[in-house]
Amino acid sequence: MPYRLEQSLLEKLLKARHVMVLTGAGMSAESGIPTFRDAQTGMWAQYRPEDLATPQAFEQHPARVWNWYEDRRKMVRDAEPHAGHLALVRMAAILGSVRIVTQNVDGLHQLAGSKRVVELHGNINRSKCSVSHRPISREWLQDSDEQPPPSPYVKHGKARPDVVWFGEVLPQEALDEAMAAASHCDFCFSVGTTSLVQPAAGLPLLALQNGAALVEINPVGTPLSMHASQCIRGPASGALSSIADQLTGLLNA
């Protein structure tokens, strides 16, 4: 079986009371969703990230930013969860307590069937008021021909994607949930993330400091690799599927 979890770690995982899985862009890439910078092709290649994903960019060129995210939304709507997303659902059914903390904004974990998902960077499928930050329904957006549609709450507000832009802080509730999950888990996976973007990059280390076993799943090494109990060098789909199969086999042995 490829991408096997070491036997001692497998047994520790099966006994774990709280498991945290941190996922990054590498998890979504296998579903065909390019990273932010990889998606800057065609007409968008002329723009910098600061031109498309900051509050200042939205204030100066709201239609440009809105249309960029509409293109991104189309990619997300066409994407489907891969075997790795589904493997996490299988693992949750076996282990009973799996909390997913994701840096991705595509909602694929929920689409696959995962119930306990913390979205650190928001969700591209949602929209909110640019002033009050209250959620805006899809029905409201569909009834408007403006780009972006006006806010239903504030006279001069506009609909904007419910994602965290460069220069913005993470949603406090999501960050608090993620910190709590890292502090209390006894097994942690870091999957498809570069381990460079803070504060998410610090979550596996927080788990480690609190006694959790740490397994990194990534095709290449990262700054986290030296701290991991095991590094599995492969794609999330194959590695997580293999681990879910190992868990099932151990239960049926």
Side-chain angles (χ1 to χ4, degrees):
M1 184 186 298
Y3 311 126
R4 289 186 66 90
L5 192 63
E6 294 173 4
Q7 187 66 25
S8 61
L9 288 170
L10 182 66
E11 293 172 359
K12 187 174 291 188
L13 176 60
L14 191 59
K15 295 175 182 176
R17 293 177 300 167
H18 301 285
V19 178
M20 186 186 85
V21 183
L22 174 66
T23 64
M27 187 81 184
S28 293
E30 287 190 77
S31 288
I33 299 176
T35 65
F36 186 94
R37 287 175 176 79
D38 288 342
Q40 287 178 250
T41 57
M43 66 175 290
W44 301 112
Q46 61 183 305
Y47 298 110
R48 304 167 303 158
E50 295 81 1
D51 298 326
L52 299 169
T54 65
Q56 295 77 15
F58 185 72
E59 183 177 345
Q60 295 170 9
H61 301 285
R64 176 202 293 169
V65 173
W66 181 261
N67 288 330
W68 155 255
Y69 276 93
E70 280 295 282
D71 281 357
R72 292 282 285 165
R73 282 170 166 157
K74 289 174 185 175
M75 288 185 206
V76 168
R77 284 195 290 266
D78 290 340
E80 294 184 356
H82 56 68
H85 292 103
L86 299 175
L88 289 176
V89 179
R90 291 166 55 200
M91 289 167 61
I94 294 170
L95 301 172
S97 178
V98 175
R99 175 65 61 91
I100 297 171
V101 178
T102 187
Q103 297 168 275
N104 301 328
V105 297
D106 46 53
L108 288 179
H109 284 297
Q110 295 93 320
L111 190 59
S114 290
K115 304 298 183 187
R116 306 181 71 206
V117 182
V118 179
E119 294 174 318
L120 284 177
H121 295 163
N123 190 309
I124 199 171
N125 297 303
R126 299 192 300 258
S127 296
K128 65 180 182 179
C129 171
S130 61
V131 178
S132 69
H133 300 286
R134 293 171 63 185
I136 298 177
S137 70
R138 290 185 181 181
E139 290 74 20
W140 175 270
L141 300 176
Q142 290 168 352
D143 288 342
S144 174
D145 294 327
E146 296 182 46
Q147 296 180 335
S151 167
Y153 309 116
V154 180
K155 185 176 181 180
H156 298 295
K158 297 179 175 65
R160 57 158 281 184
D162 189 4
V163 298
V164 178
W165 282 332
F166 295 108
E168 293 185 321
V169 297
L170 301 188
Q172 191 61 50
E173 183 177 353
L175 182 57
D176 288 345
E177 283 189 59
M179 296 284 284
S183 298
H184 296 106
C185 73
D186 38 17
F187 205 106
C188 176
F189 288 97
S190 176
V191 184
T193 174
T194 61
S195 298
L196 293 172
V197 179
Q198 295 292 351
L203 294 173
L205 295 176
L206 179 59
L208 195 64
Q209 289 168 9
N210 285 277
L214 174 60
V215 172
E216 180 183 59
I217 297 173
N218 207 308
V220 298
T222 75
L224 184 66
S225 302
M226 68 178 72
H227 304 287
S229 308
Q230 182 182 355
C231 295
I232 298 178
R233 293 285 171 249
S237 57
L240 290 171
S241 296
S242 178
I243 292 169
D245 289 344
Q246 280 185 272
L247 282 171
T248 302
L250 189 61
L251 279 177
N252 295 334

